[in-house]
Amino acid sequence: MSALLSTGTPEPATDRTVVGGNLSLPLFRTLSGVLAGHPYLKVVVDLAENTWHLLDTAAHPFHVNYTATRVLGMELAELDASLDEFNASVYMDPERRFLLGVLSLHTEQETEGNERTFLVLETTEADTMHGALLESFYVFVRARLDSSLPLLLKPANHGQEEELTAISPTRVPRVLSHELFGTRTRTPLNPGDATGRLRFFRTTEEYAAEAAGLGWADIVAMPRVPDDVPRTAGFLNTAPITPLSHTNVLAAGWGIPNAVVRDLEQLVERDGLDGAWVRYRVREDGITLERQAGEPVLQAPAWHQQRIRLEPPFLQDAPVLSLYRLRSADRDRYGTKAANLGELHHVLDSRTADLTAFYGRPRPPREDLYGHLATRLGLDGPSAGELRSAAAAFVARTVEAPDGVALPFALQHRFLTSSPALQQGIGKLKMALELDADDMLDPLCLQLQHLIRHTPMPDSVTRQIEQALSAPPAAGSRLVVRSSSNAEDLPGFSAAGVYDSVTTVRGRGELLDAVRQVWASLLSPRSVRLRHQAGISLDDTYMGVIIQEYVPACLGGVLVTCNPTRREDFRNVYLNCSPGSPEQVVDGSVLPQQYLYNTVEGGGRTVALGSWSEGLSSAARARLADLSLAGRLLQSHFCASDVDKPLDIEWLMTDRDELRLVQIRPYAL
């Protein structure tokens, strides 16, 4: 879709734009460009003149520029000076003169095996057309198309979807975004380029048999790449996953391409690609897999030289503290996850943080987006102080930080040093890492994990853990025990899905076992390898633990304050959710529903319904719109050094409609 931005770039001399007349398929192809693999054509309907303009895509990248300069005779500088007002006149005014949209060409296989070609008409996602305007737009365009071409209207946001419910599908045939794109054959997840050896596995058993031999020059292809995949050159999935799956978070952090290619098995068999050297490219508008002649000269990927340096951990005695007493600076003794949640408590309670900085960043030709933020918050011409105060108040009433306590690194350190067997095992593991004795890592790590899970805790450690909760858990209640290492949730090293959390803890014995399990996950073969590859020393790595009461969720998921598949998109945030616990999204046991929310002009749209047959209610979607804006505002504080860096937020909604953030961390782009 067209962006709501102007540009000063000169237009090409050749311009084949057509004003008036009817549109045939040959003319469509002459004027169209390609977006996300589909030919598309920009359309401007002038209601005052009862005509339309079919824009030459190569000459006119923006509807707004064309409408202002070519139709209304404005100078580009004049448009840039009043861009927001002009956008409002063409995208939001219910009495507007111009209707701006896009026609895209699609094909689908019919039951008889024939291909059906059809056109789809849509507006930009920020357009607030009411039902009568949508119907007028459709009728105007339908009357000027080749009658043999079916035309469907695709609502661009939830508001348009609701407006269309009052209009008969016979009068305005329609298709929803998730119906159009939810089953597409090829879906980009993380853009990138890789040259490597394609390793195609049809089953998890085939993968497991070969996993130990995978290296940085391999491209792993299988139905769904597993969460424990080692660092390789790229991923290819044949079954649907989302941009927020663990493996795609890893792909983003490592800077490697990842995509869904449903017909990959046919391509592999047709071209003999299994084991072949290939050039693999993932872009928003296409995915390519090109066989190479012979083994190419390869350069190790950037992540292969990546080195992460940790702050020295604080191992002296420290108390068990409630999360609300922590700040971000406490990550050196309680871990990054606990420190970030403590910082979240501070932001919500104090309301003193500036949460508007993202909107203050220049977005040419605009000097800033403060006016858009004021509109989102229901303000009219606020001062800078009033805008900051309103942003802080909005976030505080929209989301909550979780209760809980944090165990310091000191407890794990005291536990490890209490056992000669554990000290000896850790010494052997350090030696194996120094010697790059890869064949020794797995048995040493597994032996250490077994020892940690079964070594008795010193009485002083047991007392501190048992005293961590102000009162014993009520009968039948559950606790959640989460990891909080200093080697996770870091820029350049997220460790998504690498360490354990235990969500079904009941009683004293289970609590102590769960704490030991989380500690032991710091020494799993996979976590040790990943940290070693990133240059993180075993001596510097420690595990804090978060203990919380389990809170039932009626809805939960993950939000990232960016559009993972369109890096240049500063408007939208991307949200995955599923009824019930967010763990279903995180562990991949269900395909989540997927939504995009525009945090500049407003509005949201459904990307996919995942494992469900219908989407959320309008009330639930409105709550998620508020959550999305709150996440964007929090980005200004948690990414203060670069407010364009996005956040990754795990959240849940309770049965009392409360939105609770249970994890907040940088999201790798």
Side-chain angles (χ1 to χ4, degrees):
M1 291 304 303
S2 63
L4 302 184
L5 285 177
S6 179
T7 175
T9 304
E11 294 174 348
T14 302
D15 184 352
R16 297 165 292 185
T17 294
V18 174
V19 181
N22 292 340
L23 178 63
S24 64
L25 196 53
L27 179 58
F28 177 95
R29 295 190 185 279
T30 298
L31 299 173
S32 66
V34 177
L35 182 65
H38 296 280
Y40 78 102
L41 174 64
K42 292 182 175 67
V43 174
V44 175
V45 171
D46 186 342
L47 296 176
E49 298 291 335
N50 193 35
T51 191
W52 67 340
H53 302 247
L54 308 175
L55 277 55
D56 181 353
T57 304
H60 301 290
F62 299 106
H63 287 90
V64 167
N65 281 26
Y66 177 87
T67 306
T69 61
R70 296 299 181 90
V71 182
L72 298 178
M74 296 172 63
E75 294 293 330
L76 191 58
E78 181 185 358
L79 170 63
D80 286 350
S82 59
L83 182 60
D84 289 333
E85 292 81 1
F86 191 87
N87 278 336
S89 74
V90 295
Y91 290 117
M92 299 165 192
D93 185 350
E95 304 298 327
R96 68 189 78 173
R97 169 182 171 179
F98 299 103
L99 306 179
L100 278 54
V102 166
L103 279 167
S104 55
L105 185 66
H106 300 260
T107 58
E108 66 179 4
Q109 293 289 329
E110 296 184 307
T111 53
E112 298 82 8
N114 300 321
E115 272 195 348
R116 170 179 177 258
T117 300
F118 61 98
L119 288 171
V120 172
L121 175 66
E122 62 182 306
T123 72
T124 188
E125 62 194 20
D127 198 304
T128 60
M129 277 192 197
H130 54 70
L133 271 182
L134 288 166
E135 184 173 3
S136 296
F137 195 20
Y138 177 85
V139 170
F140 189 103
V141 173
R142 173 67 276 175
R144 289 158 178 80
L145 286 182
D146 183 329
S147 60
S148 66
L149 281 172
L151 176 67
L152 302 175
L153 179 70
K154 181 166 82 67
N157 51 52
H158 293 143
Q160 290 185 4
E161 284 183 30
E162 291 170 13
E163 288 288 325
L164 283 172
T165 58
I167 300 173
S168 167
T170 304
R171 297 210 314 268
V172 182
R174 68 208 61 171
V175 63
L176 300 181
S177 180
H178 65 268
E179 295 170 337
L180 189 62
F181 298 114
T183 58
R184 60 183 175 179
T185 302
R186 298 173 187 178
T187 305
L189 294 172
N190 193 62
D193 293 76
T195 298
R197 184 179 54 168
L198 188 72
R199 304 292 304 278
F200 182 66
F201 305 105
R202 289 172 175 78
T203 65
T204 54
E205 290 75 18
E206 286 184 13
Y207 166 82
E210 300 289 337
L214 294 173
W216 62 262
D218 290 320
I219 297 170
V220 177
M222 57 188 299
R224 185 173 288 122
V225 175
D227 287 351
D228 63 356
V229 64
R231 288 192 175 201
T232 59
F235 301 151
L236 272 160
N237 302 267
T238 62
I241 64 168
T242 85
L244 299 190
S245 65
H246 274 159
T247 50
N248 200 55
V249 172
L250 292 174
W254 296 339
I256 63 174
N258 187 22
V260 175
V261 179
R262 296 193 181 194
D263 59 345
L264 180 63
E265 184 166 359
Q266 296 94 297
L267 298 177
V268 168
E269 291 180 354
R270 185 192 71 190
D271 300 331
L273 295 179
D274 188 15
W277 293 95
V278 298
R279 174 79 181 277
Y280 172 37
R281 301 185 68 186
V282 176
R283 298 286 185 272
E284 180 193 353
D285 59 355
I287 301 162
T288 59
L289 202 59
E290 181 182 349
R291 184 168 185 151
Q292 303 294 289
E295 182 175 347
V297 178
L298 300 178
Q299 289 186 336
W303 63 257
H304 202 260
Q305 287 83 34
Q306 181 187 34
R307 290 296 177 263
I308 304 294
R309 293 288 177 260
L310 302 182
E311 300 172 12
F314 184 91
L315 301 178
Q316 287 80 6
D317 282 343
V320 175
L321 290 180
S322 295
L323 289 174
Y324 72 83
R325 296 181 61 184
L326 301 182
R327 295 293 301 275
S328 60
D330 292 312
R331 58 185 176 271
D332 65 345
R333 64 190 71 192
Y334 294 92
T336 314
K337 189 181 298 182
N340 285 347
L341 290 176
E343 187 71 16
L344 176 63
H345 272 281
H346 169 75
V347 170
L348 299 183
D349 294 342
S350 70
R351 304 192 185 187
T352 58
D354 178 12
L355 304 182
T356 68
F358 174 87
Y359 291 86
R361 181 67 62 88
R363 312 287 176 181
R366 301 173 179 86
E367 293 184 2
D368 56 61
L369 299 174
Y370 285 140
H372 287 281
L373 176 58
T375 301
R376 300 276 73 73
L377 296 175
L379 304 176
D380 184 15
S383 67
E386 289 170 337
L387 188 62
R388 290 182 181 184
S389 177
F394 172 83
V395 172
R397 69 173 177 266
T398 301
V399 299
E400 299 179 1
D403 295 326
V405 297
L407 308 185
F409 297 161
L411 288 184
Q412 186 204 22
H413 179 66
R414 201 186 312 162
F415 168 72
L416 293 176
T417 55
S418 71
S419 166
L422 282 171
Q423 289 298 293
Q424 184 181 34
I426 291 171
K428 290 180 179 178
L429 180 57
K430 289 179 184 177
M431 181 66 69
L433 291 170
E434 290 174 6
L435 297 175
D436 284 327
D438 190 69
D439 59 331
M440 297 176 60
L441 286 186
D442 281 22
L444 286 173
C445 288
L446 294 173
Q447 182 183 20
L448 272 170
Q449 286 190 288
H450 179 82
L451 279 171
I452 290 172
R453 291 193 184 103
H454 295 90
T455 297
M457 288 187 183
D459 290 342
S460 61
V461 174
T462 300
R463 279 195 302 272
Q464 277 193 266
I465 294 174
E466 291 178 338
Q467 293 168 4
L469 303 178
S470 56
S477 67
R478 285 168 57 182
L479 295 175
V480 176
V481 178
R482 301 182 184 275
S483 67
S484 182
S485 170
N486 60 345
E488 64 180 316
D489 297 354
L490 303 173
F493 193 80
S494 74
V498 171
Y499 305 123
D500 286 356
S501 291
V502 187
T503 61
T504 56
V505 178
R506 290 181 171 86
R508 171 184 177 277
E510 289 190 9
L511 174 60
L512 296 179
D513 287 343
V515 170
R516 277 190 291 249
Q517 180 177 333
V518 173
W519 283 344
S521 68
L522 194 69
L523 291 168
S524 71
R526 182 174 182 237
S527 69
V528 169
R529 276 197 174 84
L530 290 177
R531 291 195 306 270
H532 184 61
Q533 290 168 350
I536 298 175
S537 169
L538 188 63
D539 286 328
D540 292 337
T541 310
Y542 277 83
M543 179 67 77
V545 176
I546 299 171
I547 302 174
Q548 300 165 298
E549 286 194 33
Y550 174 78
V551 177
C554 62
L555 189 68
V558 181
L559 163 75
V560 293
T561 59
C562 66
N563 182 346
T565 60
R566 290 190 63 200
R567 304 295 172 83
E568 72 280 6
D569 178 5
F570 61 83
R571 290 175 162 78
N572 286 290
V573 303
Y574 182 82
L575 186 147
N576 280 3
C577 65
S578 68
S581 169
E583 295 158 26
Q584 295 181 98
V585 174
V586 174
D587 66 19
S589 59
V590 299
L591 277 175
Q593 297 184 17
Q594 302 170 51
Y595 297 90
L596 278 171
Y597 285 95
N598 185 325
T599 59
V600 178
E601 289 87 9
R605 57 192 171 98
T606 304
V607 177
L609 292 183
S611 299
W612 284 265
S613 59
E614 59 184 37
L616 301 173
S617 68
S618 59
R621 294 191 310 221
R623 288 289 285 148
L624 296 188
D626 287 346
L627 170 65
S628 299
L629 180 56
R632 175 70 84 199
L633 292 169
L634 288 169
Q635 180 178 337
S636 293
H637 179 75
F638 283 91
C639 304
S641 60
D642 182 354
V643 294
D644 277 339
K645 293 289 181 67
L647 286 178
D648 176 343
I649 297 171
E650 189 176 325
W651 58 274
L652 58 84
M653 183 187 291
T654 70
D655 54 10
R656 293 184 294 176
D657 203 34
E658 300 163 336
L659 286 168
R660 188 165 300 183
L661 308 189
V662 296
Q663 184 167 328
I664 188 165
R665 60 187 176 188
Y667 179 74
L669 274 181

